[in-house]
Amino acid sequence: MTAVEQQVPDLTSQENRFGIKPKRAGGADERLAAANWFTKLLRRPEAGAAGGLVATIVIFALLPGAANLYSLQGAMTFLTLSAELGIIATATALLIIAGEFDLSIGSMIGFAGVVIGLTVRELGFPLWGGIASAFAVAVLVGYLNGLIVVRTRLPSFIVTLASLFILRGLSIAITRAVTGRTQIPYILDDVPDPATAGLFNGHVFTGFFRWMAAQGWIAARSDGIPFVTGIPASIVWWLAITAAAGYVLTQTRYGNWIFATGGDQEVARNVGVPVGRVKISLFICTACAATLLATIQVMEAGSADTTRGLLKEFEAIIAAVIGGVLLTGGYGTVYGVLFGSLIFGLVQMGIFYTGIDTDWFKVFLGLVILAAVLVNTYIRTKALGGGRSR
Amino acid sequence: MSALVPAMELSGVSVNFGSVKALQDIDIKVYPGEVHCLLGDNGAGKSTLIKVLSGVHRPSRGQILVDGRPVAFRNPREAQAMGVATVFQDLGMIPLMSITRNFFLGREPTRSSLPFSRMDKERANSVAKQAMADIGIDVRDPTQAVGTLSGGERQSVAIARAVHFGAKVLILDEPTSALGVHQAAMVLKFIIEARMRGLAVIFISHNIHHAYPVGDTFTLLNRGRNRGTYAKSDISRDEVVSIMSGGEDLKVVEAEIEALLASIAAQRPAAAL
């Protein structure tokens, strides 16, 4: 560097004449405001969702019906709603961060249920075989969605909109052709496989809940069995998926590729990121998440319905956006989606318990989406140091 | 130059797009430890040339040699693998991702080779910080988003990345064109730093004031042709400008403007008062 520094002219005289401090004088940049812990917290992408969750909890605590909503039973109900949404929203969030949409997940929920129902009821598959078939179909659907998007470079919005109709149509047409109806009941009746079913409709910590009932801490029936027997498997799946997705996104090379693919796919491709493979694998993830949710619902209800999962694709996108995921890709966290799903479940049950006309739920939802997008935009400008927006 | 074998050489390279001859018979030799400036006005063929050098376009005729061996790049990644790194104007960086994540993008250090093995973020952060300190950039926080950096800082990160990952030839596409005086000076320092590490630097610019101080050799392009390669000792700044603009001296342009202003003033004598 010495050679360069020798060429630098003496600026002292100019400094005196114009009263300017040369930038090369060094020292701390006086324009760089010290970021305090609060600003740092605000800069986290899930900050908006966390704040929104706290606000929602407080609002419903002040409304009538709070006692029921925040009772153990009420909490389990809204947590289950949050979990079912969270499972698909987490996968959706990863795909949105990679810059793509999957509108077919709602239809995939219905289709996967039909696959389980028909293979078990009509083809005599064991329960695990029916579930495995549904996941195999999901991998194929996700692969095809991804392949078409990557090969044709069409917007995934359009490609998966087509899959939305194709899968829903297939569900109804095949079910009606085979069974003459649009529902497949009694799936669990002739296949005694409680171990497999229990993976999806069971409860954990049942012993602990029974013990708490025995201590008189939680409400129980007269025979000593608590009303809430344990934590539903769906919540366990949700938390496990969130933790796994969070690890992959922030701690692994593949996670770095997801951000890069959504941030700028040409740049990513030029430095050697396998953009196509990243996208296809994430389309497979969303289809599999939809199938997991379908399996949970079929195991709980014991039946499959061709109309299941209607509009779930939009709820998943909403939860992701509330959670701070940028719709244009390249930015977001899965922990924010956890908060987004909680807000969603809480509001849905909260409105029910407070006795507000549930017709208002959709109005409220629309307002929440709008607020979430505004907060996201604000936070992103913060993340980029303010002033810049792109 | 001391080394006999050029780090990169173009020999009789022409590029045609249909009937348009974008480049014709370009010969360029770039040696290690040399800053080779490619200068030209708009439309001289600079962009096409950089795309040939970086592996985006393939020449219609002629040869590219790296370390004396003929090569044919199919894409920028192949060029990179051979040690030819290009910092394009978009810088190959993603604004919403951190400095470290950008620095290692596509080359992430992991503790094992499994697809979901943990990325070694501690090491990545310290390596990125060190690599930038090596060429004289002080990064406040390697986890901050690249979008928060100034244009000059971003350019510096891109250069540091190319140097760190073993580039032998560093191609810089108009690295100073969008920068202010201070930031441009900073980037010019990094160019000299890269040269002192023995890299061959190809510096594409239309700004003689940035190119002349750091350049060792100047190749002047005009209308798709090489108008000559000169060592710094053989050519003055004014001569470079004159050749770049195709013999149209700036003084002539200045005189024309003055004449125009005079004629306007003559037509509206009262307007000045």
Side-chain angles (χ1 to χ4, degrees):
Chain A
M1 297 302 283
T2 45
V4 185
E5 275 154 17
Q6 280 164 7
Q7 294 173 8
V8 172
D10 181 26
L11 288 174
T12 334
S13 54
Q14 288 182 20
E15 185 188 349
N16 291 341
R17 199 171 142 214
F18 297 113
I20 46 172
K21 175 182 164 227
K23 286 179 188 170
R24 62 183 85 237
D29 191 333
E30 71 280 2
R31 294 163 304 172
L32 185 70
N36 61 21
W37 63 270
F38 188 68
T39 315
K40 277 182 184 159
L41 206 65
L42 268 185
R43 281 185 187 171
R44 295 201 56 85
E46 59 268 16
L53 179 61
V54 171
T56 315
I57 291 172
V58 171
I59 289 169
F60 279 108
L62 299 175
L63 290 173
N68 285 329
L69 179 63
Y70 293 128
S71 71
L72 185 62
Q73 252 175 310
M76 278 306 164
T77 318
F78 79 70
L79 283 176
T80 307
L81 279 176
S82 301
E84 295 193 345
L85 177 60
I87 288 169
I88 51 173
T90 305
T92 301
L94 294 188
L95 186 64
I96 295 177
I97 294 173
E100 302 291 348
F101 288 99
D102 187 352
L103 297 184
S104 70
I105 45 177
S107 300
M108 187 65 221
I109 294 169
F111 193 59
V114 165
V115 171
I116 296 173
L118 290 180
T119 50
V120 170
R121 292 289 301 170
E122 305 292 330
L123 299 178
F125 278 32
L127 194 54
W128 65 264
I131 295 170
S133 309
F135 275 99
V137 169
V139 170
L140 184 70
V141 169
Y143 179 76
L144 287 178
N145 273 340
L147 193 70
I148 294 172
V149 168
V150 169
R151 282 285 163 83
T152 62
R153 302 195 172 207
L154 287 169
S156 52
F157 197 88
I158 296 301
V159 171
T160 58
L161 190 62
S163 325
L164 180 156
F165 284 104
I166 293 170
L167 288 176
R168 186 66 72 193
L170 279 177
S171 302
I172 298 171
I174 293 175
T175 309
R176 215 195 302 266
V178 173
T179 69
R181 313 169 53 178
T182 57
Q183 283 149 351
I184 309 166
Y186 314 124
I187 292 172
L188 296 176
D189 288 16
D190 302 331
V191 272
D193 188 356
T196 304
L199 279 178
F200 303 98
N201 66 5
H203 290 78
V204 294
F205 301 128
T206 47
F208 179 62
F209 276 72
R210 227 175 358 236
W211 178 77
M212 286 199 295
Q215 304 295 314
W217 294 349
I218 59 173
R221 292 197 292 247
S222 53
D223 56 359
I225 297 171
F227 285 114
V228 178
T229 54
I231 295 171
S234 55
I235 295 177
V236 179
W237 279 107
W238 171 42
L239 297 178
I241 286 173
T242 302
Y247 171 80
V248 166
L249 189 61
T250 60
Q251 305 295 327
T252 70
R253 157 197 298 214
Y254 179 69
N256 212 30
W257 293 352
I258 293 177
F259 281 121
T261 300
D264 189 330
Q265 59 172 328
E266 285 315 313
V267 167
R269 200 173 273 127
N270 276 340
V271 296
V273 173
V275 170
R277 255 167 46 210
V278 169
K279 287 187 181 177
I280 291 174
S281 60
L282 288 172
F283 274 108
I284 293 176
C285 281
T286 52
C288 284
T291 303
L292 174 61
L293 176 56
T295 309
I296 290 170
Q297 289 182 337
V298 169
M299 295 304 125
E300 278 177 353
S303 64
D305 190 321
T306 52
T307 58
R308 271 213 202 274
L310 210 61
L311 292 181
K312 278 285 176 192
E313 58 278 344
F314 288 110
E315 292 183 10
I317 292 172
I318 291 165
V321 172
I322 296 175
V325 173
L326 208 58
L327 267 182
T328 44
Y331 193 69
T333 72
V334 294
Y335 308 114
V337 180
L338 185 98
F339 297 137
S341 305
L342 274 170
I343 293 177
F344 206 99
L346 189 60
V347 171
Q348 212 170 356
M349 277 327 287
I351 286 188
F352 173 76
Y353 275 116
T354 48
I356 304 170
D357 190 342
T358 44
D359 294 346
W360 290 96
F361 174 63
K362 285 191 175 141
V363 178
F364 184 85
L365 204 59
L367 293 173
V368 168
I369 298 164
L370 204 58
V373 174
L374 289 173
V375 169
N376 282 358
T377 316
Y378 172 75
I379 285 179
R380 188 180 38 144
T381 6
K382 273 263 178 196
L384 286 180
R388 264 176 278 252
S389 63
R390 57 166 287 193
Chain B
M1 284 292 129
S2 54
L4 288 173
V5 182
M8 193 168 194
E9 180 178 354
L10 296 188
S11 162
V13 164
S14 299
V15 175
N16 303 329
F17 298 113
S19 60
V20 179
K21 293 172 179 173
L23 290 175
Q24 288 184 66
D25 284 326
I26 303 290
D27 292 299
I28 292 170
K29 291 188 174 113
V30 189
Y31 294 92
E34 177 192 44
V35 177
H36 194 120
C37 298
L38 289 174
L39 295 162
D41 212 346
N42 293 341
K46 298 194 300 291
S47 308
T48 309
L49 187 56
I50 200 167
K51 282 178 177 160
V52 170
L53 290 166
S54 62
V56 176
H57 289 332
R58 298 182 72 169
S60 312
R61 265 185 293 118
Q63 240 183 355
I64 307 173
L65 298 97
V66 173
D67 287 334
R69 283 187 299 274
V71 292
F73 305 136
R74 276 177 300 182
N75 53 48
R77 268 158 72 189
E78 280 193 9
Q80 256 171 43
M82 300 208 57
V84 179
T86 308
V87 178
F88 287 104
Q89 275 172 311
D90 71 4
L91 302 178
M93 274 194 274
I94 296 167
L96 281 167
M97 289 171 74
S98 75
I99 294 173
T100 304
R101 280 179 181 273
N102 268 293
F103 196 90
F104 284 100
L105 186 58
R107 289 174 281 216
E108 296 85 355
T110 52
R111 294 220 179 99
S112 72
S113 59
L114 293 169
F116 294 114
S117 61
R118 199 181 176 82
M119 207 163 70
D120 202 341
K121 288 212 281 190
E122 311 279 292
R123 195 161 73 85
N125 280 334
S126 67
V127 169
K129 207 173 158 123
Q130 187 56 47
M132 307 228 263
D134 282 349
I135 73 163
I137 312 161
D138 179 30
V139 186
R140 294 183 288 268
D141 173 12
T143 63
Q144 75 185 103
V146 160
T148 63
L149 300 178
S150 68
E153 287 171 324
R154 282 188 224 192
Q155 193 79 46
S156 315
V157 175
I159 294 173
R161 177 171 65 178
V163 172
H164 178 77
F165 287 106
K168 288 179 292 185
V169 181
L170 181 61
I171 303 168
L172 303 171
D173 183 12
E174 301 267 7
T176 57
S177 63
L179 303 181
V181 177
H182 171 67
Q183 303 236 329
M186 180 169 85
V187 170
L188 294 177
K189 275 191 196 177
F190 300 138
I191 291 174
I192 292 189
E193 189 68 25
R195 186 196 70 174
M196 291 191 339
R197 288 163 156 259
L199 273 78
V201 181
I202 300 176
F203 180 3
I204 288 98
S205 182
H206 65 256
N207 188 332
I208 185 63
H209 303 294
H210 291 159
Y212 198 78
V214 295
D216 298 305
T217 316
F218 301 89
T219 290
L220 306 172
L221 293 175
N222 190 273
R223 302 181 70 79
R225 285 183 179 276
N226 186 346
R227 297 293 170 189
T229 299
Y230 306 88
K232 193 179 203 165
S233 52
D234 296 342
I235 194 165
S236 75
R237 196 181 287 233
D238 288 344
E239 285 171 311
V240 172
V241 174
S242 159
I243 301 173
M244 251 172 77
S245 54
E248 211 170 320
D249 207 310
L250 266 183
K251 287 189 180 113
V252 176
V253 179
E254 267 175 40
E256 279 175 8
I257 291 172
E258 266 171 35
L260 183 65
L261 288 174
S263 72
I264 291 171
Q267 280 169 16
R268 295 188 299 171
L273 306 170

